[in-house]
Amino acid sequence: MKRILLTLLVIASHKGVAQLNAINDTIVLSRPQAEALFLEKNISLISEKLNIDIADAQVIQAKLWPNPTLTIGEINLWNNATAQQLPPLWGNFGTTSQVTAELEQLVQTAGKRKKMIAMEKVGVDIAKEYFKTFLRNLKIEFRANLTELQYNQAQQSIYKKQLSSMQTLLKAYGNQVKQGNVGKGEYIRLKATELQFLKEIADLQKDNNALQKELKVLMNLPATNYIKLTDDGFVPDNKNIDNINLGNLLASAVENRPDMKVLKLGNDYNDNKYKYEKAMRTPDVTLGVSYDRGASLMNDFVGVGFSLDLPFFNRNQGNIKAAKLAIDQGKLLAEEKTITIQSEVLQSYENLLVTKKLYDSIEADYEGDLDKLLEAYRKNFLQKNTSMLEYLDFVDAYLDNKTILLNSKMDLNKNLEELRYISGQEIN
């Protein structure tokens, strides 16, 4: 029985370790690698792209001719005493059978079919720009999550390093307390700081978990993966920011931003719709061939004919006027959109310059000096040359400054991404 229980415990422990390893299946990615996965595997992008194929199918449908109509009628399955004798259909059958048949084909006039095809082709271009807009919105969300995760990882690294240092101090102080060389109050103060670090790390890990969830969905990764990003790309290259030409950016945004293109294509669609509605004033013609057996002046009568609406009352006046007003409305919206885009680009560019100015004001070796100074404070504290209060105050100041430095890097990254989004252009 003891052997069986021992065996079960070993199996359970191995199973638990395997499950833990499965959950912590770490995948290390750079920003370009993460974005490549996102573009390749994101389910929403794949689904949205199908709208282009749907629009292409509508063009195919617009090119098709209307089906002809076949009508069979006046078939008598019986006869009465007044029935006239007709030649039999075959053998002796059908001497009193009557039947009519008519074949009709609608012929669209005034180039309606061609104009409908033109409208649907614009619809394809609109679907493509909608896809670009969707990709643009999803991309800024994805990149923001990448930046947040890099920031979170850096914050956790800072706090874990301070936690490790604090736990080393606690171990040394614990021994001193046991020997009666140090008061327990100082030990408790250090313990409180350790608890504070543990709380910060726990909060950061919760944020990390939320970012993990979002990124795994966006990259279509297994839920058991754990994403770790490299530091590359967290801080943009300042040379690229300095080389930004605001004039070119404004012109490019108005010309190439997907939502502006959708508006312009909407105006093209309205132009084609106006032409189509004008063409609808001209009635379509239905051509027909009819056959009549036994119900006219001659047997087996074959005749041709046509039908069309007489445009006395309805000449599509309302739809034509609505289409013309839609053109005027589209021009006004395009003017407003141009001003909006230019204002957004200018504001985003100025925000980037403000953030860059703050980032540039920080000396290149400041962060390294800060780390060295913290280590000096730590050594002085261990050698009793610095009081606990002074040491802990500097640790707080150090963490605040580290956070400011990280925030300046993250803000620079986010402001550049915002300018990319607003301008609709990939600024390297």
Side-chain angles (χ1 to χ4, degrees):
M1 181 60 73
K2 288 181 180 179
R3 289 179 180 176
I4 293 171
L5 288 174
L6 182 60
T7 303
L8 290 174
L9 285 171
V10 170
I11 292 172
S13 65
H14 279 295
K15 186 177 179 181
V17 170
Q19 289 176 341
L20 187 61
N21 289 335
I23 293 172
N24 294 322
D25 186 8
T26 301
I27 176 171
V28 180
L29 298 170
S30 65
R31 287 181 72 107
Q33 288 172 331
E35 188 154 323
L37 275 175
F38 159 72
L39 293 174
E40 178 188 355
K41 300 179 69 175
N42 183 270
I43 295 174
S44 296
L45 283 179
I46 297 170
S47 174
E48 186 69 20
K49 202 169 185 179
L50 291 176
N51 285 331
I52 299 174
D53 296 332
I54 293 171
D56 280 327
Q58 294 300 320
V59 174
I60 295 171
Q61 184 63 35
K63 290 180 178 180
L64 301 177
W65 279 79
N67 288 326
T69 303
L70 175 64
T71 304
I72 306 292
E74 299 187 10
I75 299 174
N76 61 309
L77 301 178
W78 58 87
N79 60 71
N80 54 38
T82 63
Q84 298 180 12
Q85 292 294 312
L86 297 171
L89 290 172
W90 59 82
N92 294 321
F93 175 76
T95 55
T96 58
S97 296
Q98 179 179 325
V99 64
T100 62
E102 187 172 9
L103 183 66
E104 293 181 328
Q105 175 64 57
L106 176 67
V107 178
Q108 293 177 313
T109 59
K112 295 188 185 75
R113 180 167 157 271
K114 184 178 178 181
K115 291 176 175 64
M116 178 61 74
I117 292 170
M119 288 167 61
E120 296 299 342
K121 284 183 177 179
V122 174
V124 174
D125 293 333
I126 290 175
K128 290 177 180 177
E129 294 305 323
Y130 270 129
F131 174 74
K132 290 179 184 177
T133 300
F134 183 79
L135 173 60
R136 172 172 163 257
N137 292 335
L138 207 58
K139 191 181 284 186
I140 192 172
E141 177 190 346
F142 175 73
R143 289 176 175 176
N145 282 332
L146 290 181
T147 302
E148 291 280 357
L149 184 58
Q150 285 179 311
Y151 175 86
N152 183 283
Q153 288 176 174
Q155 279 279 67
Q156 283 202 60
S157 178
I158 291 168
Y159 275 99
K160 284 179 179 178
K161 187 176 180 180
Q162 292 309 305
L163 176 64
S164 176
S165 177
M166 187 60 62
Q167 287 174 338
T168 301
L169 285 174
L170 276 168
K171 187 175 180 181
Y173 259 71
N175 293 331
Q176 292 295 317
V177 169
K178 289 177 182 177
Q179 295 172 15
N181 299 327
V182 176
K184 196 168 183 181
E186 292 185 352
Y187 178 80
I188 294 298
R189 180 69 181 87
L190 290 176
K191 196 71 178 172
T193 303
E194 179 200 30
L195 185 60
Q196 183 181 349
F197 289 162
L198 288 169
K199 175 67 168 60
E200 291 290 345
I201 292 170
D203 290 341
L204 286 169
Q205 188 56 50
K206 289 177 184 177
D207 294 338
N208 187 293
N209 293 340
L211 290 167
Q212 292 284 333
K213 183 203 75 173
E214 294 296 331
L215 286 169
K216 280 185 279 191
V217 171
L218 288 169
M219 288 190 283
N220 193 20
L221 291 174
T224 53
N225 279 162
Y226 185 86
I227 303 165
K228 183 173 177 57
L229 296 176
T230 62
D231 295 333
D232 298 339
F234 183 60
V235 181
D237 190 343
N238 272 357
K239 292 180 181 178
N240 294 332
I241 298 175
D242 292 333
N243 292 333
I244 294 173
N245 185 304
L246 180 59
N248 292 341
L249 209 60
L250 288 167
S252 176
V254 173
E255 184 66 26
N256 299 316
R257 220 170 84 167
D259 52 342
M260 186 65 181
K261 279 190 172 182
V262 167
L263 194 57
K264 290 177 180 178
L265 287 168
N267 290 341
D268 293 342
Y269 183 87
N270 289 337
D271 288 337
N272 287 319
K273 192 169 191 304
Y274 177 65
K275 294 173 185 177
Y276 176 78
E277 296 296 352
K278 285 180 70 176
M280 288 296 289
R281 294 182 303 184
T282 305
D284 293 332
V285 177
T286 301
L287 303 178
V289 178
S290 61
Y291 166 78
D292 193 332
R293 170 181 162 82
S296 63
L297 296 176
M298 64 180 75
N299 293 332
D300 299 318
F301 172 81
V302 176
V304 296
F306 69 92
S307 65
L308 74 163
D309 293 335
L310 299 178
F312 291 154
F313 309 112
N314 181 0
R315 292 182 57 81
N316 208 36
Q317 299 96 321
N319 288 333
I320 293 171
K321 184 177 181 180
K324 182 66 172 63
L325 290 172
I327 292 174
D328 297 337
Q329 184 186 50
K331 291 177 181 178
L332 292 172
L333 291 173
E335 290 177 12
E336 182 186 38
K337 190 70 173 177
T338 299
I339 296 171
T340 300
I341 288 175
Q342 290 176 337
S343 299
E344 288 176 351
V345 170
L346 183 59
Q347 180 187 9
S348 181
Y349 177 72
E350 289 175 343
N351 288 343
L352 178 61
L353 291 184
V354 170
T355 306
K356 183 178 178 295
K357 186 177 180 181
L358 172 63
Y359 180 77
D360 289 344
S361 68
I362 302 169
E363 296 178 5
D365 54 356
Y366 175 72
E367 191 167 5
D369 291 342
L370 198 62
D371 292 334
K372 291 175 184 176
L373 190 56
L374 177 65
E375 183 59 27
Y377 262 86
R378 180 176 177 277
K379 287 179 179 178
N380 283 326
F381 174 59
L382 287 172
Q383 295 169 2
K384 305 295 184 180
N385 296 326
T386 300
S387 69
M388 178 179 289
L389 184 60
E390 289 176 320
Y391 172 67
L392 293 180
D393 282 345
F394 184 78
V395 169
D396 287 340
Y398 170 84
L399 291 172
D400 288 342
N401 274 263
K402 277 286 193 177
T403 300
I404 290 171
L405 290 170
L406 275 177
N407 282 331
S408 68
K409 295 174 184 177
M410 182 173 70
D411 290 344
L412 191 64
N413 190 311
K414 285 190 170 182
N415 283 149
L416 181 58
E417 285 301 331
E418 182 185 351
L419 186 59
R420 284 174 175 150
Y421 173 78
I422 295 296
S423 64
Q425 184 175 332
E426 284 293 337
I427 304 166
N428 293 325

